[in-house]
Amino acid sequence: MIVTTGNILLIGSTLLFVSLIIGRTGYKLGIPVLLLFLIVGMIFGSDGVGIQFHNAGEAQFIGTLSLCIILFAGGMDTKINDIRPIIPQGVILATVGVLLTTFITGYFIYWLIGSLYPSMAAPLVGCLLLAAVMSSTDSASVFNILRSKSLNLKQNMRPLLELESGSNDPMAYMLTILLLQIIQSGDMSWGQILLSFFMQFSIGIIMGYVLGRIAVYIINHVCLMNNSLYQVILLTFLFFTFSITDLLNGNGYLAVYLAGLVIGNHRIVYKKNIANFFDGLAWLFQIIMFLSLGLLVNPKDLWGVAHIGLLIGIFLIFIARPLAVFLCLLPFRKMTLPGRIFVSWIGLRGAVPIIFATYPLLADIEGASQIFNIVFFITILSLLIQGTTVSGAARMLGLAHLAQEKPNEFDMELSEDIKSIVAEASVMPDLLTEGDRLQDLHFPQNTLVIMIKRYENYFVPNGHTRLLPGDKLLLLSDNEEELRHTLAQLGIEEYTLRRN
């Protein structure tokens, strides 16, 4: 079946539905859902159900579009106060770390091919290109896995890993394009190389920050006829930021991530609605991206590169990535050994390396199809080995404890201008030994019980309201420390806090 304008809605909706159902099942089994989306695409592709999708250019466009949205949403969701303590580590990992990974892996590939596969006769620059394509951790995979697991990571691990994965794609992209230019032109001077790096980074940073601030100003001052249009205008800013930065020879991916970071850390109107919109959009495009890349590959071709892909993948996961991370983190003495090991392990590969692998395909360089298949194989290997062991590795290294998943009984959000703590607490029988009226609990003056859920009914209480075991209380307070102390004194152990 060939994808056409007549059947694309039928095929697309079917694939999305199947992916969501399988993804839900896989999540319960501890399998990364993005890997399942990739596999669904392979099953429905040319070697499976028979959907014919072989256009690398279209796959690259879908991937670029998706990556822009994912990076922007990830930037919006990143709090500057969380990443401020680990910005130096994150920036070094995202730049020097990618460079080291490329050279360590590239030289290993060159040695491996020369020793075990001399018939392939790959030049050093071609081996470095293959390594560069795989050198960055995948933002979609890291964001998805870290945020879907019920883990509270210590030592600022989560913001560090998300900062690295969100900001290292530009470096990998620049290395990929640079090495492609060297292969096509035959040579480039060090001056040209350094100028290209400087232009990409500087223009990307400037455009991301400036356009992010402009977007904040416009959203807060423009008056649109419908509140939903604020999401639309921000989406147009996103694509404009990427395209204009790319047109100016800057790095569009870096600009998009920084723009999202700027917007997410400033006060804007309808911020919660906008954040929910981009969270859903990021999920949608993650699914579309992985499905498209799964459709693009022919699973039969992967067997031909499985042997070399396995050797390169094992080296990348167990040697190249840890060596690069440990070298980058040498100046940071306060970081513990378990922390360094965990950062080394969460070097997830995903859709980004596969997208970058389409650039050699479109450039029609020698061995491009082998590069694509090897990268695809290593991506599956990384998601299988590393993606399924995130929780186990964190617990084994003593960096995490499982957070109890408790439902949000009241599903209530306050304006971000209200700097209060919202708490949900359960009434246990021991709480009512000194009286069952609300006024008998003696909450401090700055804490109010504003709603009670009893069975499936909600009501607003007063001081004379009688409480029953199992009641759910919604509390509002302006002092988190005092609230925690009061709940502890009352013997309330089952509660959740939401900081506004």
Side-chain angles (χ1 to χ4, degrees):
M1 179 188 297
I2 299 174
V3 179
T4 65
T5 54
N7 62 22
I8 190 170
L9 291 179
L10 174 63
I11 293 173
S13 58
T14 302
L15 288 175
L16 285 172
F17 179 77
V18 172
S19 298
L20 290 172
I21 297 301
I22 293 178
R24 178 62 181 170
T25 304
Y27 176 77
K28 292 181 179 179
L29 298 175
I31 303 172
V33 292
L34 299 181
L35 173 62
L36 296 174
F37 299 154
L38 202 63
I39 292 174
V40 168
M42 296 168 65
I43 292 173
F44 278 82
S46 56
D47 288 347
V49 175
I51 296 176
Q52 303 297 318
F53 180 73
H54 302 296
N55 193 315
E58 291 180 2
Q60 186 184 103
F61 173 76
I62 292 171
T64 300
L65 191 70
S66 303
L67 190 56
C68 285
I69 293 172
I70 293 165
L71 286 173
F72 184 82
M76 281 195 66
D77 200 35
T78 301
K79 302 304 178 187
I80 195 68
N81 289 333
D82 293 339
I83 67 171
R84 185 175 283 114
I86 48 83
I87 285 177
Q89 298 96 307
V91 171
I92 290 176
L93 286 171
T95 52
V96 179
V98 170
L99 198 62
L100 287 173
T101 302
T102 297
F103 278 97
I104 293 170
T105 309
Y107 276 95
F108 171 77
I109 296 170
Y110 184 67
W111 171 84
L112 181 69
I113 292 176
S115 302
L116 301 181
Y117 305 95
S119 59
M120 296 179 68
L124 177 59
V125 68
C127 297
L128 289 172
L129 174 62
L130 172 56
V133 167
M134 301 182 296
S135 60
S136 70
T137 58
D138 183 67
S139 54
S141 300
V142 172
F143 287 167
N144 177 272
I145 289 176
L146 288 181
R147 297 181 184 191
S148 64
K149 300 292 183 182
S150 300
L151 283 172
N152 285 331
L153 293 174
K154 303 175 184 177
Q155 300 182 22
N156 285 326
M157 283 293 109
R158 175 173 151 172
L160 174 59
L161 292 166
E162 291 187 351
L163 175 62
E164 181 204 3
S165 64
S167 58
N168 66 6
D169 295 335
M171 187 68 177
Y173 172 78
M174 285 188 285
L175 286 172
T176 300
I177 298 302
L178 179 66
L179 290 166
L180 270 176
Q181 290 174 348
I182 292 174
I183 292 173
Q184 291 176 317
S185 64
D187 191 23
M188 281 186 74
S189 67
W190 280 105
Q192 291 175 305
I193 292 173
L194 293 175
L195 178 62
S196 175
F197 271 75
F198 176 77
M199 293 287 290
Q200 288 269 333
F201 268 108
S202 58
I203 295 175
I205 291 171
I206 293 170
M207 295 300 291
Y209 179 77
V210 171
L211 290 176
R213 292 302 299 266
I214 292 173
V216 170
Y217 180 84
I218 290 179
I219 288 173
N220 286 334
H221 290 82
V222 69
C223 185
L224 299 176
M225 63 190 76
N226 188 295
N227 295 345
S228 300
L229 294 177
Y230 287 92
Q231 287 93 308
V232 177
I233 197 171
L234 197 53
L235 190 64
T236 62
F237 261 100
L238 187 166
F239 295 134
F240 177 79
T241 298
F242 177 84
S243 56
I244 192 65
T245 305
D246 189 63
L247 188 65
L248 295 173
N249 294 321
N251 194 288
Y253 296 117
L254 179 60
V256 162
Y257 179 74
L258 287 177
L261 192 65
V262 170
I263 295 168
N265 285 275
H266 279 81
R267 185 179 299 171
I268 57 174
V269 297
Y270 310 113
K271 189 172 186 177
K272 294 187 187 301
N273 291 338
I274 290 173
N276 290 336
F277 170 80
F278 277 98
D279 184 54
L281 199 64
W283 260 106
L284 174 63
F285 275 89
Q286 283 182 61
I287 299 173
I288 293 173
M289 176 172 61
F290 276 81
L291 284 174
S292 301
L293 295 173
L295 290 171
L296 184 64
V297 73
N298 295 318
K300 292 178 182 177
D301 295 339
L302 298 181
W303 292 113
V305 299
H307 48 296
I308 188 171
L310 184 63
L311 292 173
I312 296 173
I314 295 299
F315 179 84
L316 178 63
I317 293 170
F318 290 98
I319 298 177
R321 165 74 179 180
L323 184 57
V325 168
F326 271 76
L327 288 173
C328 287
L329 297 179
L330 276 177
F332 306 98
R333 302 295 182 183
K334 292 183 179 180
M335 192 168 187
T336 64
L337 179 61
R340 297 168 195 261
I341 294 173
F342 188 70
V343 173
S344 301
W345 187 245
I346 311 301
L348 290 161
R349 270 62 196 175
V352 173
I354 301 174
I355 294 168
F356 290 167
T358 62
Y359 284 89
L361 278 176
L362 294 176
D364 198 27
I365 67 168
E366 186 178 355
S369 60
Q370 287 181 315
I371 290 176
F372 181 84
N373 291 328
I374 290 172
V375 170
F376 203 102
F377 181 89
I378 292 173
T379 295
I380 294 176
L381 186 70
S382 174
L383 288 172
L384 278 172
I385 295 176
Q386 296 168 293
T388 56
T389 56
V390 172
S391 300
R395 290 195 299 271
M396 185 174 67
L397 293 168
L399 294 173
H401 62 271
L402 282 174
Q404 287 188 329
E405 290 189 7
K406 298 180 181 178
N408 186 346
E409 299 283 354
F410 295 90
D411 193 23
M412 177 178 175
E413 297 286 353
L414 300 177
S415 168
E416 64 173 353
D417 294 329
I418 302 174
K419 303 303 178 185
S420 301
I421 302 296
V422 178
E424 296 182 19
S426 300
V427 175
M428 305 304 290
D430 294 344
L431 184 64
L432 307 178
T433 55
E434 296 183 5
D436 61 356
R437 296 180 185 274
L438 185 58
Q439 63 188 14
D440 297 327
L441 297 186
H442 304 296
F443 283 110
Q445 290 185 351
N446 60 356
T447 299
L448 296 175
V449 178
I450 57 178
M451 192 171 291
I452 294 178
K453 178 184 179 183
R454 180 172 296 165
Y455 307 116
E456 297 302 320
N457 300 315
Y458 297 84
F459 60 92
V460 177
N462 57 49
H464 299 287
T465 299
R466 293 185 181 277
L467 300 177
L468 298 178
D471 283 352
K472 307 294 183 182
L473 309 181
L474 180 66
L475 301 100
L476 184 68
S477 178
D478 59 9
N479 190 315
E480 179 180 348
E481 185 177 348
E482 186 175 359
L483 176 61
R484 286 184 182 275
H485 179 69
T486 301
L487 293 175
Q489 281 189 325
L490 292 172
I492 299 178
E493 298 180 353
E494 293 187 17
Y495 66 88
T496 57
L497 293 181
R498 299 200 304 277
R499 298 168 184 82
N500 211 41

